[in-house]
Amino acid sequence: MARLTPANVELAREIIGCYPRPKSALIPLLHLAQEQDGYVTDDAMAHIAELVGITPAEVLGTCSFYEMFKREPVGTYLVNICTNISCMLVGGEELLHHAEEALGIKAGNTTGDGLFTIEEVECIAACTEAPCLQVNYRYAHRLSNDGFDELVEDLRAGRRPDIPPHGVLARVRQHIPAGRAAGAISPESNEAPVWLPPPAQPEGGTT
Amino acid sequence: MSIFSQPGDAGFTKPEVPKIITGRLGYEDAHTIERYEATGGYSALRKALTMAPESVAAEVKDASLLGRGGAGFPAGVKWGFCPPGVWPRYLVVNGDESEPGTYKDRLLMERDPHQLIEGILIASYAIGCAQAFCYIRGEMALAQERVAQALNEAYDKGYVGKNILGSTFSMDIVMAWGAGAYIVGEETALIESLEGNRGMPRLKPPFFPAAKGLYMQPTIVNNVETLSNIPWITTNGATAFTALGAEASKGTRMFAVSGHVNNPGVFEVEYGVTTFRDIIEGHAGGVRDGGSVKAFIPGGASAPWFYEEHLDLPLEKGTIDRAGSMLGSGAIVVMDQTTDAVKACLSIVRFFAHESCGKCTPCREGTTWLERILKRILDGYGRPSDLALLMDVCDNISPGIVWPPKQTTICPLGPSAVSPIASAIGRFRPEFEAYIRKGMQQRAATAPQTPIAVRQPVAVADGGSHD
């Protein structure tokens, strides 16, 4: 469907340049594709393969391993509800059931209007704030059923500008200023860092 | 013996126990470079740059700082494993916190990212790492945002990049991020992920990261909390650090207490001397509704469970290891007397079944079967032989079901699924048996008295019923 836009190609080149080997940029680039289209399209994967210098099958191989990459459209808001041990103990499963009732869909599905997708997820590292969920990877802590309904209402009414559409992760990107960059270090460079003292025994002294 | 009072003494929570890593979290703007610099930030880096790299490394080694990610290996010793004369070396930050019950690295990345960056810089200077990669879990959007922002600020101020603070020390820190896979928290899987591959662990040996890591070069993988300790140790010295704690466990450590407690939270406490009772009943406000502890997990979902009789054990690595569990990632999950042990067990096993990467057969197949058997017991379809079957599957993943676990797998994920089952069946066997018995009785009661006649194939063309 969609290859990366020229602006995103430029960004992709910058990301690739940070790593000693281009393939290391693969996960960030797949996120970039998902940010652009809301999910990872086949065309985007083919385009990324060209940029990185690997085959589309290799891109798919990596992409399909990771839970966050969606290869078909999901709702604008991806609601991830945790039911792992800490959340389960204080009502995570009940929260999931309430969410399913409230939105009229089972976990793994998307509402008819394309607004919400519910997923039952594994621990999202907010265990002391259980039960918790994420909407597009933004947290809601210690959520009650009423709190959930309120959240859904706010999202429907567009009152949560802090939650960007699905695909957008960090809204601040790392940019290494050209004048300040030390540069990616190739694994083949084989050079000792200059700030380390020279080895005690001079190299080649015995040969 | 610690110079500090022992648990149970009056005034146990002494003010002189410093907040080594969470000291800035009281400030709303702790993540900004202005606040970081105003509270002594980057002075440890300046100090380190005046020292010889090996002295900086020696200080960390003397502090016997145990890795805070789960395995608890001394960081300074790990740094020493890089083969001499093999260059370049890389540093990889493990910010893939996702063990159920664990919540501390996200807090440190979101609230005090500069402390982490300073730790990365000092560690790289000491080890001789030419480039560092800060790998943050994919789901942590805010942590990614804060670390990216902090890196941009640090580059602008000359703390990161070429000729740091006018010295010959130059290095880039590149932020990388994951995309949802618990297994990537295992260091060799993390390296695979950082190379753009599926996050599947490598066999150790030969692929110990310090010898053959990222791009087959020597690589040090350290946890976020571990690295966050480095600036304090550099500033205050190893002696000040080892004055805190007991035996092998020095300094302070963050513990997340969750589950059935009145005041769940993340607490930085003195390592090695604070007991479970101090932290559960003191810091976390005790069990909810005045209840009692049925069981608790001392160190994340992978750890065998502890019970009431373990409450007075100190949070000390060696002590807990000998008692048959681990402090792992500093995650204490409390279950009160209302907890269904079978359900809790299934919840944890389901996690490992879902997160198994699929590389090793005993884990890929075994965890899935464990989940299915537990599910059928809970659903009332358990068989009397199921408990023995569960233990048999466990034994195939972790021979002997002993602690510390043996494994038939490349990484410890498979054996992690064995812990909750061995614990729950070992302690709460009657609960499992009750489910099986109840299910059998219900099925016997509702079973038809006469055998159902074998249905004959019927033509459906008439559109009628199948009866």
Side-chain angles (χ1 to χ4, degrees):
Chain A
M1 191 185 103
R3 289 164 65 88
L4 296 183
T5 63
N8 280 341
V9 170
E10 203 172 308
L11 201 49
R13 295 225 161 89
E14 184 190 337
I15 295 170
I16 293 169
C18 292
Y19 294 93
R21 287 186 181 161
K23 198 183 175 189
S24 284
L26 199 46
I27 292 174
L29 297 192
L30 286 166
H31 277 301
L32 184 63
Q34 183 150 279
E35 180 171 334
Q36 178 184 295
D37 300 322
Y39 70 108
V40 185
T41 66
D42 289 350
D43 285 352
M45 279 194 276
H47 196 179
I48 289 170
E50 289 167 27
L51 291 168
V52 175
I54 55 177
T55 66
E58 285 175 288
V59 176
L60 176 61
T62 297
C63 179
S64 59
F65 184 82
Y66 298 93
E67 208 108 322
M68 286 173 73
F69 296 132
K70 310 298 177 198
R71 281 175 291 134
E72 45 192 66
V74 294
T76 313
Y77 298 111
L78 179 65
V79 182
N80 289 354
I81 302 177
C82 175
T83 54
N84 273 180
I85 183 77
S86 297
C87 283
M88 187 213 86
L89 288 173
V90 293
E93 289 179 342
E94 288 78 359
L95 179 63
L96 175 66
H97 293 158
H98 174 77
E100 289 177 335
E101 290 280 323
L103 295 177
I105 48 170
K106 293 289 280 180
N109 291 289
T110 304
T111 51
D113 57 6
L115 215 47
F116 297 98
T117 299
I118 302 181
E119 278 189 357
E120 181 180 2
V121 296
E122 310 297 352
C123 185
I124 48 178
C127 308
T128 65
E129 312 302 318
C132 60
L133 59 75
Q134 289 183 323
V135 179
N136 292 347
Y137 306 104
R138 270 68 184 175
Y139 285 90
H141 289 156
R142 304 195 188 192
L143 206 61
S144 62
N145 288 351
D146 290 345
F148 180 84
D149 295 342
E150 211 170 290
L151 175 67
V152 167
E153 222 168 89
D154 283 350
L155 288 168
R156 280 217 169 97
R159 285 193 294 264
R160 290 299 297 268
D162 57 313
I163 300 180
H166 177 255
V168 181
L169 281 175
R171 282 160 302 182
V172 179
R173 277 190 182 274
Q174 180 190 8
H175 292 288
I176 301 178
R180 290 284 316 136
I185 306 294
S186 159
E188 285 84 28
S189 67
N190 205 21
E191 281 166 27
V194 289
W195 66 91
L196 288 190
Q201 287 177 326
E203 274 180 48
T206 53
T207 53
Chain B
M1 278 298 289
S2 166
I3 56 165
F4 293 99
S5 59
Q6 290 301 304
D9 291 1
F12 170 68
T13 41
K14 285 193 156 194
E16 57 260 52
V17 175
K19 294 273 175 268
I20 291 181
I21 36 180
T22 60
R24 271 180 213 93
L25 300 198
Y27 297 107
E28 268 304 303
D29 60 349
H31 58 279
T32 63
I33 195 157
E34 290 77 20
R35 174 62 67 190
Y36 192 67
E37 285 181 324
T39 49
Y42 290 111
S43 61
L45 175 66
R46 287 178 206 279
K47 183 182 173 189
L49 291 178
T50 65
M51 298 161 69
E54 65 262 32
S55 321
V56 179
E59 206 66 43
V60 174
K61 196 173 176 186
D62 292 345
S64 49
L65 169 67
L66 300 186
R68 306 295 201 232
F73 195 80
V77 177
K78 198 179 198 179
W79 292 5
F81 284 161
C82 288
V86 184
W87 309 104
R89 292 172 181 171
Y90 296 108
L91 183 87
V92 172
V93 184
N94 187 344
D96 194 66
E97 171 175 75
S98 38
E99 172 93 7
T102 314
Y103 172 30
K104 62 185 180 67
D105 295 341
R106 176 164 78 88
L107 199 65
L108 290 172
M109 290 188 284
E110 286 178 357
R111 304 289 304 282
D112 202 348
H114 282 288
Q115 178 175 257
L116 172 63
I117 292 169
E118 190 173 11
I120 298 170
L121 291 166
I122 296 170
S124 302
Y125 174 74
I127 309 165
C129 296
Q131 198 176 2
F133 301 91
C134 185
Y135 190 102
I136 303 173
R137 185 175 168 190
E139 287 92 335
M140 297 177 178
L142 182 60
Q144 293 158 15
E145 225 162 84
R146 291 272 168 88
V147 171
Q149 178 70 33
L151 280 170
N152 289 344
E153 291 168 349
Y155 266 99
D156 284 344
K157 290 258 186 171
Y159 294 123
V160 194
K162 209 193 247 168
N163 299 115
I164 292 166
L165 297 172
S167 71
T168 56
F169 174 43
S170 300
M171 72 170 304
D172 274 345
I173 302 177
V174 177
M175 196 184 94
W177 58 111
Y182 164 75
I183 189 58
V184 168
E186 198 278 340
E187 55 182 7
T188 57
L190 195 154
I191 288 170
E192 281 289 329
S193 182
L194 204 47
E195 291 185 7
N197 302 325
R198 296 169 77 86
M200 291 175 159
R202 297 171 176 173
L203 196 60
K204 299 193 277 188
F207 301 112
F208 283 109
K212 287 189 179 302
L214 187 63
Y215 314 123
M216 291 300 139
Q217 289 300 121
T219 304
I220 295 297
V221 185
N222 278 154
N223 169 264
V224 167
E225 188 188 346
T226 313
L227 287 165
S228 296
N229 275 286
I230 307 288
W232 195 93
I233 293 173
T234 307
T235 303
N236 298 281
T239 322
F241 194 78
T242 52
L244 296 157
E247 296 177 55
S249 307
K250 303 297 189 188
T252 61
R253 189 170 172 184
M254 289 168 84
F255 287 93
V257 188
S258 61
H260 294 150
V261 288
N262 286 317
N263 178 31
V266 190
F267 311 103
E268 182 181 353
V269 299
E270 190 179 356
Y271 203 9
V273 296
T274 311
T275 66
F276 287 112
R277 193 182 296 282
D278 292 326
I279 200 161
I280 292 173
E281 291 178 6
H283 294 86
V287 178
R288 68 169 185 189
D289 305 329
S292 61
V293 173
K294 175 171 180 171
F296 65 96
I297 306 174
S302 308
W305 299 359
F306 270 176
Y307 312 100
E308 216 169 354
E309 65 267 27
H310 296 104
L311 278 172
D312 290 311
L313 286 178
L315 297 157
E316 198 280 313
K317 183 181 185 304
T319 312
I320 303 306
D321 287 350
R322 284 189 296 276
S325 191
M326 63 171 183
L327 288 175
S329 49
I332 300 171
V333 183
V334 178
M335 300 180 244
D336 72 4
Q337 78 288 350
T338 65
T339 310
D340 184 330
V342 186
K343 250 183 139 176
C345 185
L346 171 64
S347 167
I348 298 172
V349 171
R350 195 188 56 204
F351 169 80
F352 289 113
H354 184 214
E355 296 297 338
S356 174
C357 79
K359 190 167 185 172
C360 311
T361 314
C363 170
R364 182 187 63 237
E365 303 300 321
T367 53
T368 309
W369 274 108
L370 291 174
E371 184 197 349
R372 288 185 187 181
I373 299 165
L374 282 167
K375 184 85 170 56
R376 83 172 170 216
I377 292 176
L378 206 63
D379 288 346
Y381 291 92
R383 303 164 191 174
S385 57
D386 273 352
L387 297 189
L389 183 58
L390 280 172
M391 296 312 274
D392 187 41
V393 176
C394 286
D395 185 66
N396 281 322
I397 301 172
S398 180
I401 316 180
V402 291
W403 190 262
K406 293 180 179 151
Q407 58 197 53
T408 54
T409 51
I410 287 174
C411 88
L413 189 145
S416 296
V418 170
S419 299
I421 294 184
S423 301
I425 294 184
R427 180 82 169 201
F428 306 111
R429 194 181 184 95
E431 290 189 35
F432 287 81
E433 290 169 345
Y435 266 110
I436 295 171
R437 204 169 40 243
K438 197 173 149 204
M440 287 174 69
Q441 283 165 353
Q442 273 176 354
R443 273 176 293 136
T446 53
Q449 296 303 306
T450 49
I452 301 172
V454 176
R455 293 183 183 185
Q456 298 301 317
V458 288
V460 292
D462 61 355
S465 80
H466 289 228
D467 290 323

